Each structure stands twice: as C-alpha cells, then as structure tokens.
Amino acid sequence: MTSLATAIIEKASAIGFDAAGISPTAPSSRRAEFDRWIASGMNAGMNWLARDPQRRTDPAQILPGVKSIVSVGLSYQVEDPPPLLWNDPLRGRVARYAWGHDYHDEMLPMLEELGEFIRHELGAGADAISRCDVDTGPLFEREIAERADLGFIGKNTMLISRGFGSYLLLGEILLTANVAEECGENVPKGTCGNCERCQAACPTHAFPAPYILDSRLCISYLTIENKGAIPEELRPKIGNWIFGCDECQSVCPWVKQFRKPGRQLFLKFDPEFCAPQLSALLALDDAAFKSRFAGTPLLRPKRRGLLRNVCVALGNSGRREALPALECAARDAEPLIREHAEWAIRQIENDAK
Ligand code: SF4
Ligand code: SF4
C-alpha cells in the first residue's frame, strides 16, 4: 500500500471512523442484476433508483478520470433496547440508525475533514477530490465498500463488516489520484455460508431469494419512502415498527458477534425517540411533530406518513386502551391517517370478538 493510502486510512481512524479502505474504481459488476431488479419493479415507488443506471453503476460517470475511492464506515451499534419497552405493543419501534440526530449531520463533517486532509496531502492535485457522499449519492456504496475490504455483502443485502457487523454507515470520497494502485483487488473475506437467518426472520418475506430484496414488501420502504397507503395484507406483519426495521440485521450472527459499540457514540437509547408511546404520537399536530422530530430522520415520512405507521402499530397491538387515540385520528384532516386509523379500530374490535 502506498504511504499516502496508509496515511489516509490512519487519518480516517483518527477522525473517528471505525473502518476505512481504498479501492481502485471499476464499473459495478452487478449492473445486470440491478437492471433485472428494476425491470421486475422491486424498487417499488423509488423511481429515482431507475434513473440513469449508467451513472449509478459507473463512478467515472460522476467524476471523469476517477481512479480511487476511499470508503469509510461508522458504526451505529449501541446498547440493545430494554426488552420491556421494546416489546411493549403500545410503543413503536424505530430502526436503530434513526435513534438520534440525522446521521448525515454527524458523518459529513467527518468526511469533509478527511477530504481536506487528502487535498492537503495531494498538494497540486487538490482538485482531484470530487465529492463526499453519505448514501445520498447515486453510487453502489456496499459494493464499493466490499471492494475496499470493509466487509462482504450478506444475503440480507447489507455490507457486513468483520469487526462491526452490519450496523455501519458508509461514506466515500472519489479521487482522480491513483492512491489505490498498490492496494490491489480485495477478495471479500467472510461469508454467510449456509446461514439463512435473515431470510427466515423477515416478517413480510421480502427476500424472494438470497441477496435480493423486494422493496415493495420491505417494512423500511413501507414505513419511510412509501408515500401512500400500506397494503392491507401487509399491515398485520409490520408489528410495532413505525420507522424502518432491523429484523434482518438483528438476527445476523455477525451482528450478534460484534456487539461492541463504535467509537463515535452519536446514538443512544432514549425511550421517547427509540420506542415512543404510540398514542402520544397520534396527538401531535403538524407544528408539534416538526418540533419533536427536528433534525432527526423521523421527519422524512412527514406527519402523515409517521402517523399512518403509528395507526398500523396500534391496530396490531390489539389493545382496547388504544381506541380513544385512534378514534381521534379517525377524524384527522389527513385522509391517509383517517383510513389507517379506521383500519386499526376494526383490527382491535375484531380481535376482541
Ligand atoms: S428490513 Fe425488515 S422487512 Fe425489510 S427485508 Fe429486513 S427484515 Fe424484511
Ligand atoms: S443472517 Fe446469516 S444469511 Fe443473513 S446476512 Fe447474516 S450471516 Fe448472512
């Protein structure tokens, strides 16, 4: 490895990243699978994924002349939630990455600091750095991270680090400098072997085959990116997840093995953000919703989307004490919330028969 490559990886560690690597660039080897996935409609309503696949699968389309990509990982593993709260059907579950402020705000300044360092080290080649991305760009981050030796892609489609499991936020910096010339091709170390736990654990059977995720069935899509109604047949399978889902990660033996928290503890278990009381969420008007979730990923589905999810979770609780809040939500000005509240009321009343 070149001394510059070593210096970049050491600097990434000093900044606080839990994993870092560098890979030479090449078009994605998964383009044909990606095209088939899009053609089959498994990107659900995420139409932006189908736009300009050439740009998405070839880093040179983003930065002409790109030769190396620095890939970094930041662990968001923190302590497990208290089971009493986590399993309380009158509380909602929030995916672990969203237990706090928006991770982009944490990670982008770290990436920018690393970018500044590289710019300084490159000197005359300072214009070599194109961009710092944290999952907002078009790149196939997991494949790039796999090539940079950060881990391997598991059957649940997540990048699995041998040191940190899959609770790892990824980012990258594109360089026209040939920093990776001596890094060579990495062969992914680690494998799923015969394990199929994630496939069996998925509540909505969103994996038609290992390594393939049908977003139309995935709770993460249904509760975050999906702007419309949640299909009725899927609602009972969502349980009390109200924002995302970690089931296919939490069962993974690699995740179980690497339970130690990362070094940057930017998340922590706070019951009212990680497992909030559902009825209280239904009482939020638009201003209260924005104020409560300001600066967090939970703003993304907006009030209408989050309260839609809350109604589904309360319907799944089967608990009659949820009825007053749901009856109120059934009179909400937002039709999406009204319809899901009415469904939830029917669920609870049918459960009681
Ligand atoms: S996030 Fe949840 S719903 Fe989506 S594939 Fe994983 S286990 Fe299934
Ligand atoms: S649960 Fe098993 S099959 Fe799924 S990603 Fe982890 S190791 Fe691979």
Side-chain angles (χ1 to χ4, degrees):
M1 199 179 289
T2 63
S3 59
L4 180 55
T6 306
I8 292 171
I9 290 170
E10 286 174 0
K11 180 67 178 178
S13 175
I15 289 171
F17 288 113
D18 294 298
I22 302 173
S23 62
T25 50
S28 168
S29 62
R30 292 176 165 88
R31 173 67 192 268
E33 291 151 66
F34 178 67
D35 288 347
R36 279 197 295 276
W37 186 77
I38 293 286
S40 65
M42 289 194 225
N43 57 321
M46 296 180 287
N47 297 330
W48 66 90
L49 289 172
R51 265 180 239 134
D52 203 352
Q54 186 64 21
R55 182 171 156 81
R56 189 167 285 283
T57 53
D58 183 2
Q61 300 290 317
I62 297 167
L63 176 62
V66 61
K67 291 196 179 66
S68 325
I69 303 183
V70 179
S71 189
V72 291
L74 184 64
S75 169
Y76 60 94
Q77 171 72 287
V78 282
E79 79 267 35
D80 284 336
L84 211 57
L85 292 180
W86 199 238
N87 297 323
D88 181 347
L90 293 175
R91 287 180 175 269
R93 289 185 182 187
V94 172
R96 199 175 275 252
Y97 78 86
W99 288 3
H101 286 284
D102 193 327
Y103 60 88
H104 297 92
D105 298 339
E106 303 292 333
M107 200 161 168
L108 269 174
M110 295 170 70
L111 262 180
E112 278 159 10
E113 186 181 346
L114 184 59
E116 271 304 310
F117 171 80
I118 298 170
R119 197 172 285 120
H120 179 265
E121 292 295 303
L122 287 173
D127 61 347
I129 297 170
S130 166
R131 57 191 292 161
C132 301
D133 275 335
V134 186
D135 84 2
T136 46
L139 291 169
F140 279 12
E141 294 190 306
R142 294 170 193 171
E143 184 181 14
I144 289 169
E146 187 180 56
R147 285 182 176 168
D149 204 24
L150 263 58
F152 66 96
I153 295 175
K155 290 178 187 172
N156 62 2
T157 75
M158 302 298 291
L159 190 279
I160 300 177
S161 151
R162 294 179 302 282
F164 294 95
S166 59
Y167 292 139
L168 202 65
L169 303 169
L170 298 175
E172 50 283 325
I173 300 175
L174 275 62
L175 307 173
T176 52
N178 199 356
V179 177
E181 63 185 346
E182 290 177 28
C183 296
E185 276 288 310
N186 289 306
V187 179
K189 300 175 194 77
T191 166
C192 290
N194 294 326
C195 177
E196 294 194 331
R197 286 185 210 183
C198 53
Q199 317 285 293
C202 177
T204 51
H205 307 291
F207 296 108
Y211 308 102
I212 299 175
L213 173 64
D214 187 342
S215 305
R216 294 169 297 193
L217 300 174
C218 176
I219 295 169
S220 287
Y221 168 75
L222 293 168
T223 58
I224 302 173
E225 299 300 336
N226 169 34
K227 304 286 176 263
I230 296 175
E232 277 202 34
E233 68 277 14
L234 295 176
R235 294 179 195 177
K237 299 177 180 175
I238 290 177
N240 63 338
W241 286 104
I242 60 165
F243 186 93
C245 166
D246 286 330
E247 300 285 2
C248 58
Q249 295 192 78
S250 62
V251 298
C252 178
W254 290 91
V255 170
K256 287 172 183 282
Q257 186 178 345
F258 298 110
R259 282 189 178 278
K260 73 176 162 53
R263 288 180 299 148
Q264 296 282 323
L265 292 179
F266 62 97
L267 301 178
K268 65 177 170 50
F269 187 85
D270 171 343
E272 290 319 313
F273 279 93
C274 313
Q277 295 191 39
L278 292 167
S279 294
L281 294 183
L282 282 189
L284 298 174
D285 63 15
D286 209 41
F289 169 79
K290 284 182 181 147
S291 155
R292 175 159 177 174
F293 295 115
T296 78
L298 272 79
L299 281 184
R300 183 155 178 83
K302 302 194 167 71
R303 175 183 179 269
R304 67 192 290 277
L306 191 72
L307 268 57
R308 165 201 63 190
N309 304 340
V310 169
C311 290
V312 171
L314 280 175
N316 291 336
S317 77
R319 301 280 281 270
R320 294 193 67 79
E321 58 263 54
L323 286 173
L326 283 168
E327 279 155 6
C328 226
R331 297 190 295 275
D332 198 278
E334 169 56 54
L336 187 72
I337 297 172
R338 286 205 304 272
E339 187 271 308
H340 286 72
E342 286 159 6
W343 174 87
I345 292 167
R346 288 197 301 278
Q347 285 292 108
I348 293 173
E349 287 176 343
N350 286 341
D351 277 358
K353 282 180 189 162

